[in-house]
Amino acid sequence: MHWFLSGSLSVEKLTVNIRGLAASLQGKKLVHLSDFHYDGLRLADELLEEAIAVSNEAQPDLVLLTGDYVTTTPKPIHQLAQRLKKLQSRHGIYAILGNHDLYYRHSQQEITASLTNIGIHVLWNEIAYPFGTDLPVVGILDFYSPGFNPPLIFNQLDPSIPRIVLTHDPDTAAYLKTWRVDLQLAGHTHGGQIIIPGLGPILSYRSKIIRKIPIKLRLRIPCLLKEYFVVRHWEWSQGLHRIGDNQLYVNRGLGTYFPGRIFCPPEVTVITLEKE
């Protein structure tokens, strides 16, 4: 994607307070990357290289990736993996898959294998302990995936221990209110891509318009049945949000769909953890 359509890279820096964070983990730095859509069309190599350089310059303790490495065919993952191999992190790189990474039946296996081969840990309904037992990292399947089963994972965790949760779709946050989630990282929305200043993502208005169409007419037009389109909670399409007692951060992603981004630049997120 040409820089004119994607916009220049934005580096978002924020501090997130974690209840009960161990003293040894205060000041730990995370880099969050999402939605590459590396297919030769939606992400320029120059922007990807810049994002990797920005991540390395931050000297992160942990790099976290929240899915959509490709768009349809998994073949580009092999070239993308060679570029992601340059990412540096003191405690490793952890990733989950997005809905586009499951496009074909063989996509999951090919993408997981390619990332694993360069040392990236792909979490598939799993818990990892890059910082030890004081701050587990949880990677769960997409909200609309048949394998979405948070009780299977969260019931293994002591509720007194803080945790970071990786999901692809921010809609997951509504369901995860049942459990403790100190920081949930997501992507998927591309931030809305086209933002109307003061009003929000233009796509959010599609749902509002569809709801005004009589249900009998909607039933006759299949494309109108999915009124939420991409996500239901557009109010969570980018940035940091409080969902009950939980915190959700949504990254705008690196890849860009046509017609491009307006007031919604591609993003690298640098997060510093502090005790609440």
Side-chain angles (χ1 to χ4, degrees):
M1 180 67 69
H2 191 274
W3 70 267
F4 180 76
L5 295 178
S6 70
S8 58
L9 184 67
S10 176
V11 183
E12 304 295 339
K13 297 181 179 181
L14 66 151
T15 298
V16 172
N17 296 320
I18 304 292
R19 176 168 50 94
L21 186 70
S24 61
L25 297 176
Q26 288 202 86
K28 291 294 184 184
K29 194 177 294 182
L30 317 177
V31 165
H32 178 201
L33 301 170
S34 195
D35 295 85
F36 298 83
H37 290 283
Y38 191 79
D39 58 6
L41 177 65
R42 294 172 177 86
L43 175 59
D45 286 337
E46 294 80 7
L47 179 60
L48 175 59
E49 291 294 332
E50 183 183 359
I52 292 171
V54 166
S55 178
N56 291 343
E57 286 169 10
Q59 299 182 337
D61 296 289
L62 199 64
V63 173
L64 301 168
L65 314 177
T66 51
D68 278 2
Y69 308 97
V70 300
T71 304
T72 52
T73 173
K75 289 183 180 180
I77 190 61
H78 305 291
Q79 186 177 353
L80 175 61
Q82 291 309 303
R83 295 182 180 275
L84 295 180
K85 195 174 181 180
K86 300 175 184 176
L87 284 169
Q88 300 167 9
S89 171
R90 292 186 183 91
H91 293 272
I93 304 170
Y94 290 79
I96 56 168
L97 301 187
N99 57 304
H100 283 269
D101 304 318
L102 307 176
Y103 197 89
Y104 293 111
R105 186 171 296 179
H106 65 286
S107 294
Q108 176 200 344
Q109 182 177 1
E110 188 169 350
I111 292 170
T112 299
S114 188
L115 294 177
T116 301
N117 286 341
I118 61 166
I120 295 177
H121 306 273
V122 180
L123 303 179
W124 184 265
N125 275 348
E126 294 177 73
I127 305 170
Y129 297 91
F131 293 130
T133 56
D134 288 333
L135 186 65
V137 174
V138 180
I140 60 178
L141 269 61
D142 187 71
F143 183 56
Y144 298 105
S145 164
F148 181 73
N149 188 7
L152 177 69
I153 307 301
F154 283 94
N155 290 343
Q156 300 177 43
L157 295 170
D158 183 337
S160 68
I161 297 175
R163 72 287 309 263
I164 296 170
V165 179
L166 307 182
T167 68
H168 181 64
D169 191 325
D171 278 349
T172 312
Y175 187 85
L176 295 185
K177 286 192 293 184
T178 305
W179 296 276
R180 174 175 181 168
V181 177
D182 296 271
L183 176 59
Q184 176 183 345
L185 300 180
H188 185 58
T189 63
H190 298 199
Q193 280 209 179
I194 299 176
I195 305 299
I196 304 172
L199 295 177
I202 194 170
L203 285 174
S204 67
Y205 292 91
R206 180 183 188 273
S207 295
K208 295 175 183 178
I209 292 170
I210 288 175
R211 289 181 190 137
K212 295 182 183 296
I213 299 173
I215 187 63
K216 290 183 179 179
L217 179 58
R218 275 192 269 166
L219 291 172
R220 295 173 180 270
I221 307 174
C223 69
L224 298 182
L225 294 179
K226 290 186 176 181
E227 65 174 36
Y228 50 87
F229 189 62
V230 184
V231 291
R232 187 176 297 276
H233 292 280
W234 278 109
E235 68 274 21
W236 304 338
S237 61
Q238 59 175 290
L240 186 63
H241 305 272
R242 274 277 182 185
I243 316 297
D245 293 329
N246 299 340
Q247 296 183 90
L248 166 70
Y249 188 86
V250 183
N251 182 295
R252 294 188 298 269
L254 293 173
T256 300
Y257 274 87
F258 188 82
R261 293 175 178 265
I262 298 177
F263 298 114
C264 188
E267 172 182 351
V268 173
T269 316
V270 181
I271 301 170
T272 301
L273 302 182
E274 293 291 346
K275 184 176 181 179
E276 186 174 76

